[in-house]
Amino acid sequence: MKKYLSKALAATSTALLLVCLSACGGANEADTSRIAALEQSLSALESEKNEIAKERDRYNGLYQDLERQLSALSETESELSKCREDLARVTDLNEKSTTRIKELEDRIESLESRKKDLTSQLADTQKKLSDAIIELASPERKPAERVSSEYVDPDGTYTKLTSVTKYRQNELPCKSYLLLDTPDVKSKKILECNEIYSYSLSPDATRVIADNFSLEGGSTTVYMYDIRTDSLSELALPDLPIAYAPSYLEWLDERYFLFVLQLDHGTVSRGGDVYVYDTETGEYRRIVANPEKRFQISEIHTYGNDFVVFESVMYDETMNFTVPKHNVLTCDETMQLIRGKSEIDLSAMTAPEK
């Protein structure tokens, strides 16, 4: 009996030992996987640390350049001041040493030129530093998309434009671009600029117009993209009034497009007059003139070959409140204005909306 119990205890001990070894093996395998995951995380953190160190070195370099340029500018201004004082002394004493006076004048001219160069370099460095700080402090948020209506041919083929604008956390746009989709191309980037304000696809789906108007002022460019030739061009508009720029764009037909000419700054700028642009001749002129400056057309919408809707606002006498209005012209009436080289005042045509 004792012999039997001894054998049973030995078998039980062996089984328990095997179970413990199996459990330890599983635990070791889990620990090994956890250690590998931690090592990968550590490697990623080290990589991120290196990138941050590179950015820090770049910003330190910019600061050092800025300090050197400030020091050089200070030294130049000091030497310039000394030269001016010397010149004043020489002039006051009425010395006859014209050679010295000429040397001082030449030196002053040279120092003035160097000061101008250093000032320009300083401004450039400050802008680079400011851009770097903004880039570091204001990461981009999710892009906002705005899709135009699709153009579908009778045979079923389509053309679609998509406007994508990337914003920073301060809600200011940092980059915009237009994407083109056709049966032959997918999401082709046809235009990239700081901000796309308005764009329109021609009725025959062969050309695109767009602009980068902004109420912050600056230069506004009107772009035209030819889908058939895959070419992008900038339209010249040299004779527009100062401080005014094209804002809203809309095709009238395959030849003409309309645009709103708007004041590019100010809190009461919501629109303006309407111009027509002839793509065959490159000529443009006003067709909707509003003598009442409180009346401003903000958007234009063309509905086939039937009519054109002008969305507008009418300010009150204090220029603090507005009332929306809609004015309608048929496409034939609009073409008569173009062919007859005449203008129309829409401010009194439609009663204000409630």
Side-chain angles (χ1 to χ4, degrees):
M1 177 62 71
K2 291 181 179 179
K3 185 177 181 181
Y4 176 78
L5 290 174
S6 298
K7 290 182 178 181
L9 288 173
T12 303
S13 298
T14 303
L16 289 173
L17 180 62
L18 290 175
V19 169
C20 291
L21 291 175
S22 176
C24 290
N28 289 335
E29 184 176 352
D31 290 342
T32 302
S33 299
R34 178 60 178 168
I35 290 171
L38 290 173
E39 289 176 345
Q40 290 179 358
S41 299
L42 181 60
S43 177
L45 290 173
E46 286 291 341
S47 177
E48 184 176 353
K49 175 183 177 183
N50 293 335
E51 290 297 325
I52 293 175
K54 291 179 182 179
E55 287 296 308
R56 181 194 60 197
D57 293 342
R58 184 163 73 92
Y59 301 141
N60 288 338
L62 286 173
Y63 272 117
Q64 291 173 2
D65 290 344
L66 182 62
E67 290 177 352
R68 284 194 295 268
Q69 291 169 6
L70 284 171
S71 177
L73 179 60
S74 178
E75 293 175 0
T76 300
E77 289 179 338
S78 178
E79 186 175 354
L80 178 61
S81 177
K82 185 177 181 301
C83 288
R84 284 173 174 165
E85 291 175 358
D86 291 343
L87 178 59
R89 259 193 314 272
V90 171
T91 303
D92 291 341
L93 295 174
N94 196 22
E95 295 183 357
K96 296 182 180 181
S97 180
T98 57
T99 301
R100 177 57 178 164
I101 294 176
K102 183 65 169 59
E103 290 176 355
L104 290 172
E105 289 176 345
D106 292 342
R107 181 58 177 165
I108 288 176
E109 183 179 355
S110 174
L111 290 172
E112 290 282 6
S113 176
R114 177 161 172 73
K115 177 183 177 181
K116 182 179 179 181
D117 292 340
L118 287 172
T119 302
S120 176
Q121 293 175 15
L122 177 63
D124 184 60
T125 303
Q126 288 174 332
K127 184 179 184 304
K128 289 180 180 178
L129 182 60
S130 177
D131 291 343
I133 293 174
I134 292 175
E135 181 180 354
L136 180 66
S138 303
E140 295 176 358
R141 67 173 172 82
K142 184 178 179 181
E145 292 191 3
R146 180 181 58 178
V147 183
S148 70
S149 299
E150 295 182 357
Y151 174 88
V152 181
D153 288 331
D155 59 359
T157 60
Y158 72 95
T159 302
K160 183 179 73 173
L161 290 175
T162 304
S163 171
V164 180
T165 301
K166 293 185 177 181
Y167 294 85
R168 300 189 185 278
Q169 285 184 341
N170 56 11
E171 297 301 318
L172 293 177
C174 62
K175 182 169 58 177
S176 294
Y177 45 88
L178 272 180
L179 301 179
L180 173 69
D181 286 275
T182 69
D184 301 324
V185 297
K186 178 68 176 178
S187 297
K188 177 182 176 64
K189 186 186 295 185
I190 63 174
L191 173 63
E192 180 176 345
C193 59
N194 57 327
E195 181 181 12
I196 297 173
Y197 182 85
S198 175
Y199 61 93
S200 179
L201 179 68
S202 63
D204 58 357
T206 60
R207 288 179 293 182
V208 178
I209 51 173
D211 67 23
N212 59 346
F213 174 82
S214 173
L215 277 176
E216 299 298 326
S219 176
T220 297
T221 303
V222 178
Y223 303 91
M224 179 175 291
Y225 175 77
D226 194 316
I227 298 176
R228 297 162 298 186
T229 60
D230 189 25
S231 60
L232 180 68
S233 58
E234 298 179 3
L235 303 184
L237 302 167
D239 298 324
L240 294 177
I242 297 175
Y244 285 80
S247 57
Y248 200 91
L249 311 173
E250 178 75 352
W251 285 95
L252 178 62
D253 59 14
E254 289 78 10
R255 176 176 176 177
Y256 299 98
F257 71 83
L258 307 175
F259 65 88
V260 175
L261 188 68
Q262 182 174 343
L263 188 67
D264 62 6
H265 62 277
T267 58
V268 295
S269 177
R270 298 281 296 275
D273 296 340
V274 177
Y275 281 62
V276 60
Y277 186 97
D278 188 345
T279 60
E280 291 186 3
T281 65
E283 297 177 350
Y284 53 94
R285 68 174 188 83
R286 185 171 60 184
I287 61 171
V288 178
N290 304 305
E292 176 59 76
K293 294 305 180 183
R294 295 187 296 127
F295 178 81
Q296 300 177 11
I297 296 175
S298 57
E299 294 185 12
I300 311 166
H301 300 284
T302 304
Y303 293 87
N305 297 320
D306 300 322
F307 53 87
V308 182
V309 176
F310 301 88
E311 293 188 11
S312 56
V313 295
M314 174 68 82
Y315 279 90
D316 65 357
E317 294 182 355
T318 66
M319 299 297 287
N320 291 321
F321 303 95
T322 61
V323 177
K325 297 182 67 175
H326 288 79
N327 305 88
V328 179
L329 292 177
T330 67
C331 289
D332 289 340
E333 291 172 335
T334 307
M335 289 303 300
Q336 289 176 10
L337 293 173
I338 296 173
R339 296 190 185 100
K341 296 184 178 181
S342 56
E343 298 179 351
I344 189 173
D345 178 9
L346 297 178
S347 61
M349 289 184 58
T350 305
E353 298 177 0
K354 303 298 183 183

